[in-house]
Amino acid sequence: MWRSRARALLLLRSSIHRSLPPPPPSPLGTINRVPPPRLLSRFLSSSPEPLPDASAAGAPSASSDPADASEDANEDNLTSLWEEDAGDADDVFASATSVPADDVVDEVAVARVRAVVESTPEDQIPSALADMVVDFTEPFLSAVLLSSESFSGKKLLLLFKSAAQNNPAAKSLANLEIVVNKIADSDEIDKMNAYLLWDLVKEMGTVPGSVNTQMLNKLIAMFWKLGKSKAALEVFDLFSDLGCSPDGESYYLVIEAAGKKSMVDAAWRVCEKMIGSGCFPDGEKVGDIVTFFCKRKKVKEAHSVYLAAKEKTLRTPISALNFLIGALARNDETINTALELLEEYQGESLKDAGMSYSAVIHGLCKTNNVKDAKKLLMRMVNLGPAPGNAVFNFVITALSKNGEMEDAKGLMRVMENQGIRPDIYTYSVVMSGYTKGGMVDEAHALLRDAKKIHPKLSTVTYHTVIRGYCKMEEFEKALECLNEMKEDRMQPNMDEYNKLIQSLCLKALDWRNAEKLLKEMEDSGLRLKGITRSLIAAVKELEMEESSKPSQEI
C-alpha cells in the first residue's frame, strides 16, 4: 500500500516538473553526467519486467540517442524529485508504517477451539486448552466467546481464565463484558456460577479501567433474579472500590433487589444515596420505587422520592401518584399532604384522579374534617373528576353522624341533580342520623321516599325506624312499621321481634302485643330467646297480681 502511495506522489510531482518551461542551457552541459542508479527506477517502477542495469550500459554522452536522452531526463526529474521531497516521502512511509495491520481472526482456529470447549468436560477444559497451539489474542478470544451459543456459564469462565493465562492481553474489558452479558442474560442462572463471576469481576477490578458501571448493573440484576439481595447490595457497595460510579439504573436495580427480600431499611439507605446524588432512573422506574415504599408502609419516604424526582423534572406515572396519595390519605398524620398533592392533577390527568380524590375525602371524613371533605366534594362536582355514589356517601355519612341533617339531605339533592340515584346505603345512613336525633317521623318519611326509587329495601332500613320508635316509646308506630315491612314482603328477623317484645314488656308492660309477636315469630319459624320468652310470662304474671289486689282488699 505504502509503495503505491509513494509512487503516486512522486509521479504527480514529476508531472508538475514536466509542465514547466525547459531550463536555460547550462554551461556544464558538455560534462558527462552519471544517471542515478537503476535500483531507484526498479523500486519506483510498477512494471513487472526487469530494468537494464546502468553499469552494464556504460555512461551515456550528451550526444547519445534522443530516446535515451529523454529517458535520462525523466530519470533526472525523478532523482531530483526524490531528493527534494525526501521529507514528504519519509512522511508517507512513516504514516503507512504507523497504522497497525488489521488483526485477522482465523475462523478455522475459532471453530476448533469452540469444538474443544463444547466437547470437553468442565474440569478438563484448562488442560485441553493448554495442549492446543493457539495464541489467544484479544480479538481471537472475542470471536470464540461471541460464537459460543451453547456454552454453560462455568465453561465461559474457564475459557476466559485459560485464555488469560495463555495471553494476558485477552483479559480485557470487552471480553469480560461478553462473559458477564452471556451469563447474566441466560434464562437459567446457576447460583455458583453467579458468585464465581462476581469473584472474577472483583479480581479484574483491581486494575483501573477493567470494569464499568454497565457490567456491575448486570451483576446486580443477576443477583436480583436469583433472589440474592445481600449479594446485590455488596456489588453496589463496591462501586467506588472498583472505580465506577452508580447511575440511575444501578440505584433502581439494587432497591428492587433489596425489596424482593423485604430489606426495606437497606433499600431506603440506597434510596437516600440516590436522592443525594441526584442521579435517578427514568420516570417509570421512579414510580416503581415510590409504589414499593408505599406498599411497605414507608409513605413519608415514598413522598420524599416523589418530590426529589419532581425537582429533576421527572414525570412519574399517574398510577404511582394515585398509589402515593391513597397511602398518604390512610394516615391521619399525612392526610393534609395527600390533600396538597391533589394539585398535581391538571388538565387531562384529572380524568384519572377519581380514586385519589375519593381516598382524600374518605380520609378527611375519618378525621372528622367534614368541612374540607364537603368542599373538596363540591370541587369535584364543579370541576371534575365527577364523583360517584361512594364519594357522596362518605360525606353524607359524616354529616349524618354529626347531626348535620340539612346538609346531608342537601347533598342527596346534589346527587340527584348530577344524575346519580341515591342508593339504599345513602337512605339508611340519613335515616340513622334522623333517628339518633329523635326525628323518627322524618326517618320514616324518608323510608317511604326510598321505596319509590328502590322497590326492595334492606331489613336495616326498617330496623332503623323500628328501633327509633321503640327508643322514643312510640310502640304503636313501631308496630305499624313492622306491619309495613311485612306488607312490602320483607320478613322481619329475630332482632326486630326481640327488640319490640323487650320494649313492649319493659317499657309498656304490654304482654298481649308481645304474645302476638311471639306467635308471629313461631309461625314464621323463628324461635325467641328463652330470656325474652320468660320476660313475657313475668310481665303477664305481674299484671295478674296487680289485678287481684283490689278484690283481696275488698
Side-chain angles (χ1 to χ4, degrees):
M1 182 192 298
W2 55 268
R3 180 181 295 176
S4 300
R5 292 172 62 187
R7 185 172 181 277
L9 176 61
L10 294 175
L11 291 175
L12 176 63
R13 296 294 295 270
S14 175
S15 64
I16 296 173
H17 278 257
R18 284 196 296 269
S19 65
L20 297 175
S26 172
L28 302 176
T30 57
I31 301 177
N32 292 337
R33 294 179 299 161
V34 179
R38 285 290 182 179
L39 292 176
L40 180 62
S41 297
R42 184 184 301 274
F43 179 76
L44 295 174
S45 174
S46 60
S47 172
E49 299 180 359
L51 297 174
D53 191 359
S55 61
S61 64
S63 59
S64 298
D65 185 72
D68 292 339
S70 175
E71 182 180 351
D72 290 343
N74 287 338
E75 291 287 353
D76 289 342
N77 287 338
L78 289 174
T79 303
S80 61
L81 178 61
W82 180 268
E83 292 173 352
E84 291 173 6
D85 292 335
D88 293 341
D90 290 341
D91 291 341
V92 171
F93 291 125
S95 63
T97 56
S98 65
V99 178
D102 294 334
D103 290 313
V104 179
V105 176
D106 187 347
E107 296 296 337
V108 175
V110 169
R112 188 158 53 91
V113 172
R114 185 174 65 247
V116 169
V117 176
E118 286 177 346
S119 61
T120 304
E122 291 178 349
D123 59 342
Q124 299 177 20
I125 286 178
S127 59
L129 292 175
D131 293 339
M132 298 182 71
V133 183
V134 177
D135 182 13
F136 279 96
T137 63
E138 180 186 5
F140 183 83
L141 178 58
S142 296
V144 177
L145 290 171
L146 290 172
S147 64
S148 57
E149 298 297 333
S150 60
F151 286 9
S152 65
K154 185 68 175 293
K155 286 188 174 184
L156 286 169
L157 292 168
L158 291 171
L159 172 61
F160 183 88
K161 291 182 178 180
S162 299
Q165 290 178 353
N166 175 282
N167 185 351
K171 199 176 181 180
S172 66
L173 169 63
N175 286 337
L176 181 60
E177 278 188 308
I178 297 173
V179 175
V180 170
N181 290 337
K182 282 187 171 290
I183 294 178
D185 293 339
S186 61
D187 295 332
E188 296 183 3
I189 304 174
D190 182 78
K191 180 176 67 175
M192 185 58 66
N193 290 339
Y195 283 104
L196 289 174
L197 177 61
W198 173 221
D199 289 339
L200 175 62
V201 171
K202 285 189 286 187
E203 177 187 339
M204 291 275 291
T206 58
V207 178
S210 298
V211 176
N212 61 25
T213 297
Q214 290 70 30
M215 186 186 301
L216 296 180
N217 288 348
K218 283 281 186 181
L219 290 170
I220 295 174
M222 178 182 65
F223 285 124
W224 174 19
K225 189 185 298 184
L226 290 171
K228 300 299 177 183
S229 302
K230 290 184 178 179
L233 286 165
E234 181 188 359
V235 176
F236 176 79
D237 289 336
L238 288 181
F239 260 79
S240 59
D241 293 347
L242 297 174
C244 300
S245 298
D247 58 12
E249 188 71 6
S250 310
Y251 290 113
Y252 169 74
L253 290 171
V254 76
I255 289 171
E256 290 292 321
K260 194 169 186 179
K261 291 294 183 179
S262 298
M263 300 173 66
V264 183
D265 292 338
W268 177 240
R269 173 176 61 83
V270 175
C271 202
E272 285 182 311
K273 292 183 178 180
M274 178 185 73
I275 294 173
S277 69
C279 190
F280 289 83
D282 60 47
E284 288 283 342
K285 292 175 180 177
V286 170
D288 291 340
I289 295 172
V290 170
T291 303
F292 163 73
F293 283 112
C294 287
K295 289 181 177 179
R296 296 301 186 276
K297 301 189 184 304
K298 294 285 186 179
V299 64
K300 292 181 179 179
E301 289 80 353
H303 185 229
S304 300
V305 175
Y306 179 84
L307 293 180
K310 183 181 176 182
E311 290 180 1
K312 294 293 181 179
T313 66
L314 287 171
R315 295 189 62 183
T316 56
I318 292 296
S319 58
L321 179 59
N322 290 342
F323 210 100
L324 175 60
I325 291 177
L328 290 167
R330 285 192 291 271
N331 191 327
D332 293 351
E333 296 180 1
T334 55
I335 180 62
N336 289 328
T337 304
L339 181 60
E340 294 171 1
L341 276 180
L342 291 178
E343 300 299 327
E344 297 291 303
Y345 299 101
Q346 298 293 333
E348 287 295 320
S349 63
L350 270 175
K351 65 182 181 182
D352 300 316
M355 290 181 59
S356 296
Y357 273 78
S358 177
V360 173
I361 289 175
H362 189 208
L364 291 171
C365 291
K366 284 199 309 179
T367 58
N368 205 28
N369 188 353
V370 187
K371 180 180 178 182
D372 286 343
K374 183 182 176 183
K375 181 179 178 181
L376 186 58
L377 174 60
M378 296 310 298
R379 174 180 167 183
M380 293 178 71
V381 170
N382 296 323
L383 302 175
N389 280 77
V391 184
F392 275 102
N393 286 341
F394 290 149
V395 183
I396 290 173
T397 301
L399 291 169
S400 299
K401 286 182 178 179
N402 290 346
E404 301 177 45
M405 302 313 301
E406 288 300 319
D407 289 343
K409 196 74 181 295
L411 281 183
M412 290 182 68
R413 288 191 290 270
V414 173
M415 289 179 72
E416 294 168 348
N417 293 335
Q418 292 292 309
I420 301 173
R421 187 176 67 173
D423 55 22
I424 296 174
Y425 176 84
T426 311
Y427 283 102
S428 298
V429 295
V430 177
M431 288 163 57
S432 178
Y434 276 129
T435 57
K436 286 181 180 179
M439 295 179 285
V440 188
D441 288 337
E442 286 80 355
H444 199 176
L446 194 60
L447 172 62
R448 295 190 176 99
D449 290 340
K451 288 195 293 183
K452 297 175 184 176
I453 300 175
H454 301 281
K456 189 174 182 179
L457 302 178
S458 69
T459 57
V460 175
T461 53
Y462 294 93
H463 185 69
T464 300
V465 178
I466 292 171
R467 288 178 65 91
Y469 279 130
C470 289
K471 184 178 179 181
M472 300 298 295
E473 299 185 6
E474 297 186 42
F475 302 110
E476 290 184 4
K477 290 183 179 181
L479 290 171
E480 179 185 340
C481 186
L482 183 67
N483 292 330
E484 185 179 336
M485 182 179 183
K486 290 185 287 185
E487 290 173 0
D488 294 335
R489 297 182 180 181
M490 297 291 295
Q491 180 60 42
N493 59 26
M494 190 163 35
D495 287 336
E496 275 81 37
Y497 281 111
N498 193 56
K499 180 62 179 176
L500 262 174
I501 290 173
Q502 287 184 5
S503 298
L504 288 170
C505 292
L506 295 176
K507 296 181 179 179
L509 301 177
D510 187 357
W511 59 271
R512 293 175 179 81
N513 282 319
E515 275 192 338
K516 288 180 181 180
L517 292 177
L518 176 59
K519 188 176 184 307
E520 286 182 12
M521 283 184 65
E522 292 173 347
D523 292 343
S524 62
L526 298 175
R527 186 169 182 82
L528 191 63
K529 294 179 181 179
I531 187 171
T532 307
R533 185 185 295 271
S534 300
L535 186 60
I536 297 174
V539 173
K540 182 177 181 180
E541 184 179 347
L542 179 60
E543 183 178 317
M544 291 177 64
E545 289 179 358
E546 289 294 328
S547 62
S548 64
K549 283 183 180 180
S551 60
Q552 290 177 359
E553 292 177 357
I554 294 172

